[in-house]
Amino acid sequence: GAGVSQTPSNKVTEKGKYVELRCDPISGHTALYWYRQSLGQGPEFLIYFQGTGAADDSGLPNDRFFAVRPEGSVSTLKIQRTERGDSAVYLCASSQEGGGPYNEQFFGPGTRLTVL
Amino acid sequence: KNQVEQSPQSLIILEGKNCTLQCNYTVSPFSNLRWYKQDTGRGPVSLTIMTFSENTKSNGRYTATLDADTKQSSLHITASQLSDSASYICVVTPTDSWGKLQFGAGTQVVVTP
């Protein structure tokens, strides 16, 4: 089916506001990943889900960041009290059932977040 | 300190020429090493994957090599095309935390006519 989709593609917000970024994984993929990519850098791991549960959230920078995947498909990354330093491209990826080290992660186009 | 270092940071090559990108990593133990291509404004797309026991893998005009002893990998692009202009990212999968890929910062390649 279709690839990983992310919405919105661009989000501009003001410092202190709350934002939600959405990821629709490839149908049937049970593993879902969030990354943050700053300009000129490679993606940085934030969190990944196996099904509905967060298997590893050690990359979330602080408690302003939170992600959910209530039905094991769509995921939402939530950022409270945004700061200018949160400005980056947020990438989502998904991989096949079971995940595992050899399952390829397929990436979405990303959401470019700009905090003014 | 980043566990995956890439060089050069950027390079410009003429269409039709070859180039080689380098990746040094300290991730250990690791399950596999991938090279991704990321076009501007798009998500990364996997080009090659090598397990720790493999030392070369090709995908069309892209050839990756891996030396697990020296912890080095390279990506060779043959007969470059304008569409090869992109960022190329080296990614290592740690064995003990396979969900947390370790990314290099990428090499920005610009192919000019």
Side-chain angles (χ1 to χ4, degrees):
Chain A
V4 178
S5 62
Q6 293 185 244
T7 55
S9 55
N10 281 283
K11 176 69 176 179
V12 179
T13 190
E14 294 180 342
K15 181 175 178 292
K17 298 292 187 181
Y18 167 83
V19 297
E20 290 190 352
L21 312 179
R22 176 188 169 107
C23 172
D24 281 83
I26 293 173
S27 178
H29 281 191
T30 61
L32 184 145
Y33 313 80
W34 283 100
Y35 297 89
R36 178 168 68 177
Q37 187 172 25
S38 300
L39 190 63
Q41 300 296 316
E44 174 189 21
F45 170 83
L46 295 176
I47 184 172
Y48 87 87
F49 291 87
Q50 273 286 21
T52 60
D56 188 331
D57 64 358
S58 61
L60 296 177
N62 52 59
D63 61 6
R64 296 186 297 105
F65 288 74
F66 190 71
V68 296
R69 195 185 184 201
E71 298 179 355
S73 178
V74 171
S75 176
T76 304
L77 178 65
K78 308 180 180 189
I79 310 174
Q80 299 176 321
R81 305 183 303 280
T82 52
E83 300 177 356
R84 293 193 179 88
D86 298 335
S87 297
V89 174
Y90 290 81
L91 292 168
C92 175
S94 69
S95 64
Q96 287 182 339
E97 182 173 358
Y102 300 102
N103 281 2
E104 180 178 350
Q105 293 186 21
F106 295 85
F107 285 81
T111 293
R112 180 174 297 280
L113 175 65
T114 303
V115 181
L116 301 177
Chain B
K1 186 179 185 301
N2 196 353
Q3 297 187 64
V4 182
E5 301 283 350
Q6 293 188 240
S7 62
Q9 186 175 22
S10 62
L11 69 99
I12 300 173
I13 59 173
L14 291 175
E15 187 179 11
K17 298 296 186 182
N18 304 335
C19 68
T20 299
L21 317 179
Q22 300 292 341
C23 173
N24 294 338
Y25 61 93
T26 59
V27 180
S28 182
F30 76 101
S31 295
N32 60 66
L33 184 149
R34 295 182 190 270
W35 283 91
Y36 279 84
K37 178 186 180 187
Q38 185 173 24
D39 292 309
T40 301
R42 309 293 293 271
V45 175
S46 181
L47 292 175
T48 64
I49 176 173
M50 291 176 290
T51 66
F52 58 86
S53 60
E54 296 177 294
N55 46 36
T56 188
K57 186 68 68 77
S58 290
N59 177 2
R61 295 178 297 100
Y62 300 101
T63 299
T65 65
L66 173 64
D67 186 334
D69 291 331
T70 62
K71 295 184 168 52
Q72 296 179 323
S73 177
S74 67
L75 181 69
H76 186 76
I77 305 175
T78 303
S80 60
Q81 300 177 358
L82 298 179
S83 60
D84 292 333
S85 295
S87 179
Y88 292 83
I89 306 175
C90 176
V91 185
V92 181
T93 302
T95 299
D96 56 357
S97 55
W98 54 261
K100 296 174 62 174
L101 301 184
Q102 297 293 323
F103 290 78
T107 292
Q108 186 68 43
V109 174
V110 176
V111 181
T112 63

Short mmCIF file of all heavy atoms in Angstrom, two decimals, chain A residues 36-90:
data_model
loop_
_atom_site.label_atom_id
_atom_site.label_comp_id
_atom_site.label_asym_id
_atom_site.label_seq_id
_atom_site.Cartn_x
_atom_site.Cartn_y
_atom_site.Cartn_z
N ARG A 36 14.16 12.95 15.29
CA ARG A 36 14.23 14.40 15.09
C ARG A 36 15.51 14.69 14.32
O ARG A 36 16.58 14.17 14.65
CB ARG A 36 14.24 15.13 16.44
CG ARG A 36 14.37 16.63 16.33
CD ARG A 36 14.08 17.31 17.64
NE ARG A 36 15.10 17.05 18.65
CZ ARG A 36 15.08 17.60 19.88
NH1 ARG A 36 14.10 18.44 20.20
NH2 ARG A 36 16.02 17.31 20.75
N GLN A 37 15.38 15.51 13.29
CA GLN A 37 16.54 15.83 12.46
C GLN A 37 16.74 17.34 12.39
O GLN A 37 15.90 18.05 11.86
CB GLN A 37 16.37 15.26 11.04
CG GLN A 37 17.60 15.41 10.17
CD GLN A 37 17.49 14.68 8.84
OE1 GLN A 37 16.40 14.43 8.35
NE2 GLN A 37 18.62 14.30 8.27
N SER A 38 17.87 17.77 12.93
CA SER A 38 18.22 19.18 12.85
C SER A 38 18.97 19.43 11.56
O SER A 38 19.52 18.51 10.95
CB SER A 38 19.08 19.58 14.06
OG SER A 38 18.38 19.35 15.27
N LEU A 39 19.02 20.67 11.15
CA LEU A 39 19.62 21.03 9.88
C LEU A 39 21.07 20.55 9.80
O LEU A 39 21.87 20.79 10.70
CB LEU A 39 19.56 22.55 9.69
CG LEU A 39 19.94 23.07 8.31
CD1 LEU A 39 18.97 22.57 7.26
CD2 LEU A 39 19.99 24.59 8.31
N GLY A 40 21.37 19.82 8.73
CA GLY A 40 22.74 19.36 8.51
C GLY A 40 23.16 18.18 9.37
O GLY A 40 24.33 17.81 9.37
N GLN A 41 22.21 17.61 10.06
CA GLN A 41 22.52 16.47 10.93
C GLN A 41 21.73 15.23 10.52
O GLN A 41 20.73 15.32 9.80
CB GLN A 41 22.18 16.81 12.39
CG GLN A 41 22.95 18.00 12.94
CD GLN A 41 24.44 17.71 13.00
OE1 GLN A 41 24.86 16.63 13.43
NE2 GLN A 41 25.25 18.66 12.56
N GLY A 42 22.18 14.08 10.98
CA GLY A 42 21.41 12.87 10.77
C GLY A 42 20.26 12.81 11.77
O GLY A 42 20.26 13.52 12.78
N PRO A 43 19.28 11.99 11.50
CA PRO A 43 18.15 11.83 12.44
C PRO A 43 18.62 11.34 13.81
O PRO A 43 19.57 10.57 13.92
CB PRO A 43 17.26 10.80 11.75
CG PRO A 43 17.61 10.89 10.30
CD PRO A 43 19.08 11.19 10.28
N GLU A 44 17.92 11.81 14.83
CA GLU A 44 18.22 11.44 16.21
C GLU A 44 17.02 10.71 16.78
O GLU A 44 15.89 11.20 16.70
CB GLU A 44 18.51 12.72 17.01
CG GLU A 44 18.70 12.55 18.48
CD GLU A 44 18.76 13.89 19.18
OE1 GLU A 44 18.27 14.89 18.63
OE2 GLU A 44 19.28 13.94 20.31
N PHE A 45 17.25 9.53 17.34
CA PHE A 45 16.17 8.70 17.86
C PHE A 45 15.43 9.39 18.99
O PHE A 45 16.03 9.99 19.88
CB PHE A 45 16.76 7.37 18.36
CG PHE A 45 15.81 6.52 19.14
CD1 PHE A 45 14.90 5.70 18.48
CD2 PHE A 45 15.80 6.54 20.53
CE1 PHE A 45 14.02 4.91 19.20
CE2 PHE A 45 14.92 5.76 21.25
CZ PHE A 45 14.03 4.94 20.59
N LEU A 46 14.10 9.27 18.97
CA LEU A 46 13.27 9.79 20.05
C LEU A 46 12.59 8.65 20.81
O LEU A 46 12.73 8.51 22.02
CB LEU A 46 12.21 10.75 19.51
CG LEU A 46 12.70 12.06 18.89
CD1 LEU A 46 11.52 12.85 18.33
CD2 LEU A 46 13.47 12.88 19.90
N ILE A 47 11.81 7.83 20.08
CA ILE A 47 11.00 6.81 20.71
C ILE A 47 10.60 5.78 19.68
O ILE A 47 10.50 6.12 18.49
CB ILE A 47 9.73 7.44 21.35
CG1 ILE A 47 8.89 6.40 22.11
CG2 ILE A 47 8.88 8.15 20.30
CD1 ILE A 47 7.74 7.02 22.91
N TYR A 48 10.40 4.51 20.13
CA TYR A 48 9.77 3.59 19.20
C TYR A 48 8.74 2.72 19.92
O TYR A 48 8.83 2.48 21.11
CB TYR A 48 10.79 2.77 18.41
CG TYR A 48 11.29 1.49 19.03
CD1 TYR A 48 10.60 0.29 18.85
CD2 TYR A 48 12.48 1.46 19.71
CE1 TYR A 48 11.10 -0.90 19.38
CE2 TYR A 48 12.98 0.29 20.24
CZ TYR A 48 12.29 -0.89 20.08
OH TYR A 48 12.79 -2.05 20.60
N PHE A 49 7.76 2.33 19.12
CA PHE A 49 6.62 1.55 19.59
C PHE A 49 6.64 0.16 18.95
O PHE A 49 6.96 0.00 17.77
CB PHE A 49 5.30 2.22 19.18
CG PHE A 49 4.99 3.50 19.89
CD1 PHE A 49 5.46 4.70 19.39
CD2 PHE A 49 4.21 3.51 21.03
CE1 PHE A 49 5.17 5.88 20.03
CE2 PHE A 49 3.91 4.70 21.68
CZ PHE A 49 4.39 5.89 21.18
N GLN A 50 6.26 -0.82 19.75
CA GLN A 50 5.90 -2.13 19.23
C GLN A 50 4.42 -2.28 19.57
O GLN A 50 4.06 -2.39 20.74
CB GLN A 50 6.71 -3.25 19.89
CG GLN A 50 8.02 -3.55 19.24
CD GLN A 50 7.84 -4.31 17.92
OE1 GLN A 50 6.78 -4.27 17.30
NE2 GLN A 50 8.89 -4.95 17.46
N GLY A 51 3.59 -2.24 18.55
CA GLY A 51 2.16 -2.23 18.81
C GLY A 51 1.75 -0.93 19.48
O GLY A 51 2.12 0.15 19.04
N THR A 52 1.02 -1.03 20.56
CA THR A 52 0.52 0.16 21.24
C THR A 52 1.48 0.72 22.28
O THR A 52 1.35 1.87 22.70
CB THR A 52 -0.83 -0.12 21.94
OG1 THR A 52 -0.61 -1.17 22.90
CG2 THR A 52 -1.88 -0.61 20.94
N GLY A 53 2.42 -0.10 22.70
CA GLY A 53 3.30 0.31 23.79
C GLY A 53 4.63 0.87 23.34
O GLY A 53 5.18 0.43 22.32
N ALA A 54 5.12 1.82 24.11
CA ALA A 54 6.45 2.38 23.83
C ALA A 54 7.50 1.41 24.31
O ALA A 54 7.63 1.18 25.51
CB ALA A 54 6.59 3.74 24.50
N ALA A 55 8.25 0.82 23.37
CA ALA A 55 9.28 -0.15 23.73
C ALA A 55 10.53 0.55 24.25
O ALA A 55 11.28 -0.02 25.05
CB ALA A 55 9.62 -1.01 22.52
N ASP A 56 10.77 1.76 23.80
CA ASP A 56 11.95 2.51 24.22
C ASP A 56 11.67 3.99 23.98
O ASP A 56 11.48 4.39 22.85
CB ASP A 56 13.17 2.06 23.43
CG ASP A 56 14.48 2.65 23.95
OD1 ASP A 56 14.48 3.76 24.52
OD2 ASP A 56 15.53 2.01 23.77
N ASP A 57 11.61 4.76 25.06
CA ASP A 57 11.37 6.20 24.92
C ASP A 57 12.56 7.00 25.45
O ASP A 57 12.42 8.18 25.79
CB ASP A 57 10.08 6.62 25.61
CG ASP A 57 10.14 6.40 27.13
OD1 ASP A 57 11.17 5.89 27.62
OD2 ASP A 57 9.16 6.76 27.81
N SER A 58 13.70 6.38 25.48
CA SER A 58 14.87 7.00 26.09
C SER A 58 15.40 8.19 25.31
O SER A 58 16.20 8.97 25.83
CB SER A 58 15.99 5.96 26.25
OG SER A 58 16.38 5.45 25.00
N GLY A 59 14.97 8.35 24.06
CA GLY A 59 15.43 9.47 23.27
C GLY A 59 14.63 10.75 23.43
O GLY A 59 15.04 11.81 22.95
N LEU A 60 13.50 10.67 24.10
CA LEU A 60 12.70 11.89 24.31
C LEU A 60 13.52 12.85 25.17
O LEU A 60 13.97 12.48 26.26
CB LEU A 60 11.38 11.56 24.99
CG LEU A 60 10.42 10.68 24.19
CD1 LEU A 60 9.18 10.36 25.01
CD2 LEU A 60 10.04 11.36 22.87
N PRO A 61 13.70 14.08 24.72
CA PRO A 61 14.63 14.98 25.40
C PRO A 61 14.19 15.43 26.78
O PRO A 61 15.04 15.69 27.64
CB PRO A 61 14.74 16.17 24.44
CG PRO A 61 13.55 16.10 23.57
CD PRO A 61 13.16 14.67 23.48
N ASN A 62 12.92 15.54 27.02
CA ASN A 62 12.42 15.97 28.33
C ASN A 62 10.92 15.68 28.39
O ASN A 62 10.35 15.14 27.44
CB ASN A 62 12.70 17.46 28.54
CG ASN A 62 12.20 18.31 27.38
OD1 ASN A 62 11.00 18.30 27.07
ND2 ASN A 62 13.11 19.02 26.73
N ASP A 63 10.32 16.03 29.53
CA ASP A 63 8.91 15.66 29.73
C ASP A 63 7.94 16.54 28.95
O ASP A 63 6.72 16.37 29.07
CB ASP A 63 8.56 15.65 31.22
CG ASP A 63 8.75 17.00 31.88
OD1 ASP A 63 9.04 17.99 31.17
OD2 ASP A 63 8.63 17.08 33.10
N ARG A 64 8.43 17.47 28.16
CA ARG A 64 7.53 18.21 27.29
C ARG A 64 7.13 17.39 26.06
O ARG A 64 6.18 17.73 25.36
CB ARG A 64 8.19 19.53 26.84
CG ARG A 64 8.47 20.52 27.95
CD ARG A 64 8.98 21.84 27.40
NE ARG A 64 10.25 21.70 26.67
CZ ARG A 64 10.37 21.74 25.35
NH1 ARG A 64 9.30 21.92 24.59
NH2 ARG A 64 11.56 21.62 24.78
N PHE A 65 7.90 16.34 25.81
CA PHE A 65 7.66 15.49 24.65
C PHE A 65 6.93 14.23 25.09
O PHE A 65 7.32 13.57 26.08
CB PHE A 65 8.98 15.10 23.98
CG PHE A 65 9.64 16.23 23.24
CD1 PHE A 65 10.29 17.25 23.93
CD2 PHE A 65 9.64 16.26 21.86
CE1 PHE A 65 10.90 18.29 23.25
CE2 PHE A 65 10.26 17.29 21.16
CZ PHE A 65 10.89 18.31 21.86
N PHE A 66 5.93 13.86 24.31
CA PHE A 66 5.16 12.65 24.63
C PHE A 66 4.63 12.08 23.33
O PHE A 66 4.31 12.83 22.41
CB PHE A 66 4.01 12.99 25.58
CG PHE A 66 3.31 11.80 26.14
CD1 PHE A 66 3.93 10.99 27.07
CD2 PHE A 66 2.03 11.47 25.73
CE1 PHE A 66 3.30 9.88 27.59
CE2 PHE A 66 1.38 10.36 26.23
CZ PHE A 66 2.01 9.57 27.17
N ALA A 67 4.54 10.77 23.23
CA ALA A 67 4.00 10.16 22.01
C ALA A 67 3.05 9.04 22.39
O ALA A 67 3.24 8.38 23.41
CB ALA A 67 5.12 9.62 21.12
N VAL A 68 2.03 8.87 21.57
CA VAL A 68 1.05 7.81 21.80
C VAL A 68 0.77 7.07 20.52
O VAL A 68 0.98 7.59 19.42
CB VAL A 68 -0.28 8.40 22.37
CG1 VAL A 68 -0.04 9.01 23.73
CG2 VAL A 68 -0.88 9.41 21.41
N ARG A 69 0.27 5.85 20.70
CA ARG A 69 -0.13 5.03 19.55
C ARG A 69 -1.26 4.12 20.05
O ARG A 69 -1.08 2.92 20.20
CB ARG A 69 1.06 4.21 19.06
CG ARG A 69 0.86 3.62 17.67
CD ARG A 69 2.02 2.74 17.30
NE ARG A 69 1.88 2.24 15.94
CZ ARG A 69 2.50 1.16 15.48
NH1 ARG A 69 3.31 0.46 16.28
NH2 ARG A 69 2.33 0.79 14.23
N PRO A 70 -2.41 4.69 20.35
CA PRO A 70 -3.47 4.01 21.10
C PRO A 70 -4.02 2.74 20.46
O PRO A 70 -4.45 1.84 21.17
CB PRO A 70 -4.55 5.08 21.23
CG PRO A 70 -4.26 6.07 20.15
CD PRO A 70 -2.78 6.05 19.97
N GLU A 71 -4.03 2.67 19.14
CA GLU A 71 -4.60 1.50 18.48
C GLU A 71 -3.55 0.71 17.72
O GLU A 71 -3.90 -0.17 16.91
CB GLU A 71 -5.75 1.93 17.57
CG GLU A 71 -6.90 2.59 18.35
CD GLU A 71 -8.02 3.05 17.44
OE1 GLU A 71 -7.89 2.93 16.20
OE2 GLU A 71 -9.04 3.53 17.98
N GLY A 72 -2.30 1.01 17.95
CA GLY A 72 -1.24 0.26 17.31
C GLY A 72 -1.02 0.59 15.85
O GLY A 72 -0.32 -0.15 15.15
N SER A 73 -1.59 1.70 15.40
CA SER A 73 -1.38 2.11 14.01
C SER A 73 -0.88 3.55 13.98
O SER A 73 0.33 3.77 14.11
CB SER A 73 -2.69 1.97 13.22
OG SER A 73 -2.51 2.41 11.88
N VAL A 74 -1.78 4.50 13.88
CA VAL A 74 -1.41 5.92 13.84
C VAL A 74 -0.75 6.31 15.16
O VAL A 74 -1.14 5.86 16.24
CB VAL A 74 -2.66 6.79 13.59
CG1 VAL A 74 -2.35 8.26 13.78
CG2 VAL A 74 -3.22 6.51 12.21
N SER A 75 0.26 7.17 15.05
CA SER A 75 0.93 7.69 16.24
C SER A 75 0.92 9.21 16.21
O SER A 75 0.94 9.82 15.13
CB SER A 75 2.36 7.17 16.30
OG SER A 75 3.06 7.73 17.41
N THR A 76 0.88 9.79 17.39
CA THR A 76 0.93 11.24 17.52
C THR A 76 2.07 11.62 18.46
O THR A 76 2.16 11.08 19.56
CB THR A 76 -0.39 11.80 18.08
OG1 THR A 76 -1.48 11.39 17.26
CG2 THR A 76 -0.35 13.33 18.12
N LEU A 77 2.91 12.50 18.01
CA LEU A 77 3.98 13.06 18.83
C LEU A 77 3.48 14.41 19.34
O LEU A 77 3.07 15.25 18.55
CB LEU A 77 5.27 13.24 18.03
CG LEU A 77 6.46 13.86 18.77
CD1 LEU A 77 6.94 12.92 19.88
CD2 LEU A 77 7.61 14.14 17.80
N LYS A 78 3.51 14.57 20.65
CA LYS A 78 2.96 15.78 21.26
C LYS A 78 4.07 16.55 21.93
O LYS A 78 4.88 15.96 22.67
CB LYS A 78 1.89 15.41 22.28
CG LYS A 78 0.82 14.48 21.71
CD LYS A 78 -0.24 14.12 22.75
CE LYS A 78 -1.27 13.19 22.12
NZ LYS A 78 -2.44 12.98 23.00
N ILE A 79 4.11 17.84 21.69
CA ILE A 79 5.13 18.69 22.31
C ILE A 79 4.43 19.84 23.03
O ILE A 79 3.70 20.62 22.42
CB ILE A 79 6.11 19.25 21.26
CG1 ILE A 79 6.66 18.14 20.36
CG2 ILE A 79 7.26 19.98 21.96
CD1 ILE A 79 7.54 18.63 19.22
N GLN A 80 4.67 19.92 24.32
CA GLN A 80 4.06 20.98 25.13
C GLN A 80 5.05 22.13 25.29
O GLN A 80 6.26 21.93 25.24
CB GLN A 80 3.70 20.43 26.51
CG GLN A 80 2.70 19.30 26.50
CD GLN A 80 2.46 18.74 27.89
OE1 GLN A 80 3.36 18.62 28.69
NE2 GLN A 80 1.20 18.43 28.18
N ARG A 81 4.52 23.31 25.48
CA ARG A 81 5.32 24.50 25.79
C ARG A 81 6.54 24.57 24.87
O ARG A 81 7.69 24.57 25.32
CB ARG A 81 5.76 24.48 27.26
CG ARG A 81 4.60 24.36 28.23
CD ARG A 81 5.06 24.41 29.68
NE ARG A 81 6.04 23.39 30.00
CZ ARG A 81 5.76 22.12 30.26
NH1 ARG A 81 4.51 21.72 30.22
NH2 ARG A 81 6.73 21.27 30.55
N THR A 82 6.27 24.60 23.58
CA THR A 82 7.36 24.54 22.60
C THR A 82 8.39 25.63 22.83
O THR A 82 8.08 26.75 23.27
CB THR A 82 6.82 24.65 21.17
OG1 THR A 82 5.97 25.81 21.09
CG2 THR A 82 6.05 23.42 20.77
N GLU A 83 9.63 25.27 22.51
CA GLU A 83 10.76 26.19 22.61
C GLU A 83 11.41 26.32 21.24
O GLU A 83 11.26 25.43 20.38
CB GLU A 83 11.77 25.67 23.63
CG GLU A 83 11.20 25.52 25.02
CD GLU A 83 12.21 24.94 26.00
OE1 GLU A 83 13.33 24.58 25.56
OE2 GLU A 83 11.88 24.85 27.20
N ARG A 84 12.16 27.38 21.03
CA ARG A 84 12.78 27.60 19.72
C ARG A 84 13.71 26.46 19.37
O ARG A 84 13.86 26.09 18.21
CB ARG A 84 13.50 28.94 19.68
CG ARG A 84 12.53 30.12 19.77
CD ARG A 84 13.18 31.44 19.42
NE ARG A 84 12.18 32.51 19.51
CZ ARG A 84 11.90 33.18 20.62
NH1 ARG A 84 12.56 32.92 21.73
NH2 ARG A 84 10.98 34.13 20.62
N GLY A 85 14.32 25.86 20.37
CA GLY A 85 15.22 24.74 20.14
C GLY A 85 14.53 23.47 19.66
O GLY A 85 15.20 22.52 19.26
N ASP A 86 13.20 23.45 19.72
CA ASP A 86 12.46 22.29 19.23
C ASP A 86 12.33 22.33 17.70
O ASP A 86 11.89 21.35 17.09
CB ASP A 86 11.05 22.26 19.84
CG ASP A 86 11.06 22.13 21.35
OD1 ASP A 86 12.05 21.60 21.89
OD2 ASP A 86 10.07 22.55 21.98
N SER A 87 12.69 23.43 17.10
CA SER A 87 12.59 23.55 15.65
C SER A 87 13.48 22.51 14.97
O SER A 87 14.68 22.43 15.25
CB SER A 87 13.00 24.96 15.19
OG SER A 87 12.12 25.94 15.71
N ALA A 88 12.88 21.72 14.12
CA ALA A 88 13.59 20.61 13.45
C ALA A 88 12.60 19.93 12.52
O ALA A 88 11.42 20.27 12.48
CB ALA A 88 14.11 19.60 14.47
N VAL A 89 13.10 18.94 11.79
CA VAL A 89 12.22 18.06 11.02
C VAL A 89 12.00 16.80 11.86
O VAL A 89 12.95 16.19 12.33
CB VAL A 89 12.83 17.68 9.66
CG1 VAL A 89 11.96 16.65 8.96
CG2 VAL A 89 12.98 18.92 8.79
N TYR A 90 10.76 16.46 12.06
CA TYR A 90 10.41 15.27 12.83
C TYR A 90 10.02 14.16 11.85
O TYR A 90 9.05 14.28 11.10
CB TYR A 90 9.29 15.58 13.82
CG TYR A 90 9.78 16.47 14.94
CD1 TYR A 90 9.89 17.84 14.76
CD2 TYR A 90 10.20 15.92 16.15
CE1 TYR A 90 10.39 18.66 15.77
CE2 TYR A 90 10.70 16.73 17.16
CZ TYR A 90 10.79 18.10 16.96
OH TYR A 90 11.30 18.91 17.95
#
